[in-house]
Amino acid sequence: MASSTPYTRFQTTLEKALVHLKLSSEERALFAHPRYTHKKDLTITRDNGAKVAFPAFRVQYSDARGPYKGGIRYHPLADEEEVKALAALMAIKTAVVGIPFGGAKGGIQVNPKDLSAKELQELSRAYVRAFLEHLGPDIDVPAPDVNTNPAIMAWMRDEFEKQTKSYSPAFITGKPMSFGGSLGRDTATARGGFFLIQELVDRAALDPSELKVVIQGFGNAGATMAHFLHNAGFTIVALSDSQGGIYAPEGIDPVRVEKYKRKTGAVTGEYCEGSVCDIQRMKMDGVQQVTNEQILELPCDILIPAALDNVIAEENAGRIQARIVFELANGPTTPEADILLEKKGVTVVPDVLANAGGVTVSYFEWVQGRSGEQWTAERVDSELKRVMLDAYRAVRRESHRQSLTLRDAAFSVGIRRMLDAMRARGWVNA
Ligand code: NAD
């Protein structure tokens, strides 16, 4: 599929799932395109006085079930097609976990590492001003995504409150604890995923200590998941970040890896300085260096892509050895690879379910912002577990009922819930 884009890949997955729902052409048309695609160039003054413009996007795919909801990504490759696909996936995701939001996504085409803190703040505030009329606690609620963080969310909330002369803690989620954040938001994506893996393992009556796990990506989602699984007795056999990874069939302690990553900036930091590794020590510890391509093909029970999209594609899907692929990243498996994995009998837990813990706790943060309450960590944890397990059971039921993969079943559940809301609103004939 040479000319495929993230959005056409979403459409391929959607079409496959829609077959089972027997929608009318009028109903299908409702899912073909986002409701709104907003584009602006954001101009800021650099520290050296030069003016520079960055393309920015806010795509609002659906608000059938509630306010648009979705993160803002800062990345040199962020473009309209990518943001459209991510907005659509958000709509499916919020419907699958049954929280009263629609789906949206934002992006700025920028490498934030090239900006000073002052320039980054100016750009973030410019984003809010550019899309002000389309945003708000009851309209469209942004959040962090790749390369955006609680500090940026705080600047954005401050700019929104300034522009609208309001007190609006529910304008945005992923805020710092000192400025309206929720306990548990920082670990929510991995925590939600962990509850699902526990459920899968319990149902199959498997023993965690006999299960080998490979995780690609050692950032917020991947590293946190590594800690949860390690503490629950799973054996983490391989980990990686953008610079490559390590493989140790006898198991890796993620706390140790984290310590060296903090010190050296790399997962391989305990053994390697750049590309030069201490082979002798690696041998003694039973550790091998692996590339990000090799890590996906290692022998293991559970493979967790937690970094980039499209890493499992037609070319390598046949070599995946895991029994379960758990998509903590968004869009790590192409539609072609999905079919190959299904043929091989690999269970793929799809992104719209697997990583929905993040948006679920964002919803809890929005509720707290509106009510003025501060939930305890225990309350966040137990509500998150309930929402994730309810979603998993609904998807599993649909999968059994219609003999569908978990991805097709999740899309089916999500689309049906969106359609029910559209029918109730009178947007389509009931
Ligand atoms: P992050 O920036 O904290 O971590 C990303 C990790 O991936 C880093 O360790 C980075 O070194 C690694 N990486 C970058 N390029 C790589 C490459 N070529 N090969 C292997 N690893 C590479 O990001 P995150 O928040 O952990 O997000 C990771 C994925 O999870 C993304 O797809 C994101 O959309 C998805 N996700 C995250 C959340 C969340 O709450 N953090 C929620 C839902 C989905």
mmCIF file of all heavy atoms in Angstrom, residues 288-305:
data_model
loop_
_atom_site.group_PDB
_atom_site.id
_atom_site.type_symbol
_atom_site.label_atom_id
_atom_site.label_comp_id
_atom_site.label_asym_id
_atom_site.label_seq_id
_atom_site.Cartn_x
_atom_site.Cartn_y
_atom_site.Cartn_z
ATOM 1 N N GLN A 288 22.381 -9.295 25.653
ATOM 2 C CA GLN A 288 22.804 -9.001 24.273
ATOM 3 C C GLN A 288 22.208 -7.666 23.844
ATOM 4 O O GLN A 288 21.114 -7.308 24.294
ATOM 5 C CB GLN A 288 22.259 -10.067 23.313
ATOM 6 C CG GLN A 288 22.798 -11.454 23.529
ATOM 7 C CD GLN A 288 21.909 -12.478 22.822
ATOM 8 O OE1 GLN A 288 21.461 -12.277 21.711
ATOM 9 N NE2 GLN A 288 21.645 -13.582 23.501
ATOM 10 N N GLN A 289 22.922 -6.987 22.945
ATOM 11 C CA GLN A 289 22.386 -5.734 22.402
ATOM 12 C C GLN A 289 21.483 -6.067 21.213
ATOM 13 O O GLN A 289 21.827 -6.953 20.423
ATOM 14 C CB GLN A 289 23.551 -4.864 21.942
ATOM 15 C CG GLN A 289 23.171 -3.412 21.811
ATOM 16 C CD GLN A 289 24.312 -2.569 21.246
ATOM 17 O OE1 GLN A 289 25.311 -3.094 20.781
ATOM 18 N NE2 GLN A 289 24.147 -1.272 21.289
ATOM 19 N N VAL A 290 20.327 -5.404 21.110
ATOM 20 C CA VAL A 290 19.438 -5.656 19.960
ATOM 21 C C VAL A 290 18.993 -4.330 19.351
ATOM 22 O O VAL A 290 18.937 -3.306 20.041
ATOM 23 C CB VAL A 290 18.161 -6.458 20.362
ATOM 24 C CG1 VAL A 290 18.461 -7.922 20.592
ATOM 25 C CG2 VAL A 290 17.452 -5.854 21.570
ATOM 26 N N THR A 291 18.657 -4.376 18.068
ATOM 27 C CA THR A 291 18.127 -3.177 17.408
ATOM 28 C C THR A 291 16.616 -3.124 17.658
ATOM 29 O O THR A 291 16.010 -4.109 18.106
ATOM 30 C CB THR A 291 18.342 -3.231 15.887
ATOM 31 O OG1 THR A 291 17.574 -4.327 15.369
ATOM 32 C CG2 THR A 291 19.809 -3.417 15.536
ATOM 33 N N ASN A 292 16.011 -2.000 17.291
ATOM 34 C CA ASN A 292 14.563 -1.880 17.462
ATOM 35 C C ASN A 292 13.775 -2.753 16.491
ATOM 36 O O ASN A 292 12.586 -2.994 16.691
ATOM 37 C CB ASN A 292 14.144 -0.412 17.366
ATOM 38 C CG ASN A 292 14.076 0.191 18.752
ATOM 39 O OD1 ASN A 292 13.387 -0.332 19.614
ATOM 40 N ND2 ASN A 292 14.830 1.245 18.980
ATOM 41 N N GLU A 293 14.433 -3.219 15.432
ATOM 42 C CA GLU A 293 13.770 -4.170 14.527
ATOM 43 C C GLU A 293 13.851 -5.565 15.148
ATOM 44 O O GLU A 293 12.856 -6.293 15.194
ATOM 45 C CB GLU A 293 14.444 -4.193 13.145
ATOM 46 C CG GLU A 293 14.234 -2.941 12.302
ATOM 47 C CD GLU A 293 15.031 -1.731 12.810
ATOM 48 O OE1 GLU A 293 16.190 -1.912 13.239
ATOM 49 O OE2 GLU A 293 14.473 -0.613 12.821
ATOM 50 N N GLN A 294 15.047 -5.912 15.654
ATOM 51 C CA GLN A 294 15.236 -7.263 16.231
ATOM 52 C C GLN A 294 14.351 -7.474 17.455
ATOM 53 O O GLN A 294 13.842 -8.572 17.681
ATOM 54 C CB GLN A 294 16.702 -7.458 16.621
ATOM 55 C CG GLN A 294 17.630 -7.591 15.429
ATOM 56 C CD GLN A 294 19.100 -7.425 15.829
ATOM 57 O OE1 GLN A 294 19.411 -6.829 16.863
ATOM 58 N NE2 GLN A 294 19.991 -7.951 15.009
ATOM 59 N N ILE A 295 14.169 -6.442 18.247
ATOM 60 C CA ILE A 295 13.474 -6.621 19.526
ATOM 61 C C ILE A 295 12.046 -7.157 19.315
ATOM 62 O O ILE A 295 11.534 -7.942 20.119
ATOM 63 C CB ILE A 295 13.476 -5.321 20.365
ATOM 64 C CG1 ILE A 295 13.184 -5.652 21.835
ATOM 65 C CG2 ILE A 295 12.491 -4.298 19.859
ATOM 66 C CD1 ILE A 295 13.408 -4.496 22.794
ATOM 67 N N LEU A 296 11.442 -6.766 18.193
ATOM 68 C CA LEU A 296 10.051 -7.175 17.941
ATOM 69 C C LEU A 296 9.945 -8.666 17.622
ATOM 70 O O LEU A 296 8.886 -9.264 17.773
ATOM 71 C CB LEU A 296 9.477 -6.376 16.770
ATOM 72 C CG LEU A 296 9.422 -4.866 16.960
ATOM 73 C CD1 LEU A 296 9.115 -4.170 15.639
ATOM 74 C CD2 LEU A 296 8.355 -4.499 17.991
ATOM 75 N N GLU A 297 11.075 -9.240 17.168
ATOM 76 C CA GLU A 297 11.036 -10.623 16.689
ATOM 77 C C GLU A 297 11.615 -11.624 17.687
ATOM 78 O O GLU A 297 11.810 -12.786 17.370
ATOM 79 C CB GLU A 297 11.798 -10.695 15.357
ATOM 80 C CG GLU A 297 11.184 -9.782 14.300
ATOM 81 C CD GLU A 297 12.033 -9.658 13.043
ATOM 82 O OE1 GLU A 297 12.956 -10.470 12.869
ATOM 83 O OE2 GLU A 297 11.763 -8.746 12.243
ATOM 84 N N LEU A 298 11.883 -11.155 18.905
ATOM 85 C CA LEU A 298 12.474 -12.049 19.913
ATOM 86 C C LEU A 298 11.450 -13.055 20.434
ATOM 87 O O LEU A 298 10.245 -12.760 20.441
ATOM 88 C CB LEU A 298 12.983 -11.210 21.091
ATOM 89 C CG LEU A 298 14.189 -10.311 20.802
ATOM 90 C CD1 LEU A 298 14.457 -9.394 21.995
ATOM 91 C CD2 LEU A 298 15.426 -11.156 20.497
ATOM 92 N N PRO A 299 11.921 -14.225 20.903
ATOM 93 C CA PRO A 299 10.973 -15.170 21.495
ATOM 94 C C PRO A 299 10.396 -14.595 22.793
ATOM 95 O O PRO A 299 11.162 -14.159 23.660
ATOM 96 C CB PRO A 299 11.827 -16.413 21.783
ATOM 97 C CG PRO A 299 13.238 -16.012 21.597
ATOM 98 C CD PRO A 299 13.298 -14.707 20.889
ATOM 99 N N CYS A 300 9.087 -14.554 22.892
ATOM 100 C CA CYS A 300 8.439 -14.039 24.128
ATOM 101 C C CYS A 300 6.968 -14.429 24.085
ATOM 102 O O CYS A 300 6.467 -14.910 23.073
ATOM 103 C CB CYS A 300 8.583 -12.527 24.213
ATOM 104 S SG CYS A 300 7.711 -11.645 22.919
ATOM 105 N N ASP A 301 6.277 -14.203 25.198
ATOM 106 C CA ASP A 301 4.834 -14.468 25.250
ATOM 107 C C ASP A 301 4.041 -13.203 24.942
ATOM 108 O O ASP A 301 3.039 -13.245 24.251
ATOM 109 C CB ASP A 301 4.463 -14.997 26.640
ATOM 110 C CG ASP A 301 5.195 -16.278 26.950
ATOM 111 O OD1 ASP A 301 4.813 -17.313 26.383
ATOM 112 O OD2 ASP A 301 6.188 -16.242 27.711
ATOM 113 N N ILE A 302 4.508 -12.075 25.505
ATOM 114 C CA ILE A 302 3.776 -10.820 25.309
ATOM 115 C C ILE A 302 4.731 -9.779 24.729
ATOM 116 O O ILE A 302 5.788 -9.499 25.305
ATOM 117 C CB ILE A 302 3.195 -10.299 26.656
ATOM 118 C CG1 ILE A 302 2.368 -11.388 27.346
ATOM 119 C CG2 ILE A 302 2.358 -9.048 26.432
ATOM 120 C CD1 ILE A 302 1.861 -11.009 28.729
ATOM 121 N N LEU A 303 4.350 -9.222 23.574
ATOM 122 C CA LEU A 303 5.137 -8.154 22.952
ATOM 123 C C LEU A 303 4.360 -6.851 23.118
ATOM 124 O O LEU A 303 3.184 -6.773 22.746
ATOM 125 C CB LEU A 303 5.328 -8.470 21.464
ATOM 126 C CG LEU A 303 5.935 -7.349 20.606
ATOM 127 C CD1 LEU A 303 7.359 -7.007 21.059
ATOM 128 C CD2 LEU A 303 5.928 -7.746 19.126
ATOM 129 N N ILE A 304 5.038 -5.835 23.688
ATOM 130 C CA ILE A 304 4.348 -4.566 23.943
ATOM 131 C C ILE A 304 5.028 -3.437 23.170
ATOM 132 O O ILE A 304 6.038 -2.882 23.612
ATOM 133 C CB ILE A 304 4.344 -4.222 25.461
ATOM 134 C CG1 ILE A 304 3.772 -5.397 26.257
ATOM 135 C CG2 ILE A 304 3.566 -2.938 25.713
ATOM 136 C CD1 ILE A 304 3.641 -5.149 27.752
ATOM 137 N N PRO A 305 4.500 -3.088 21.979
ATOM 138 C CA PRO A 305 5.027 -1.899 21.317
ATOM 139 C C PRO A 305 4.556 -0.671 22.102
ATOM 140 O O PRO A 305 3.352 -0.490 22.303
ATOM 141 C CB PRO A 305 4.416 -1.952 19.916
ATOM 142 C CG PRO A 305 3.386 -3.018 19.926
ATOM 143 C CD PRO A 305 3.411 -3.743 21.217
#
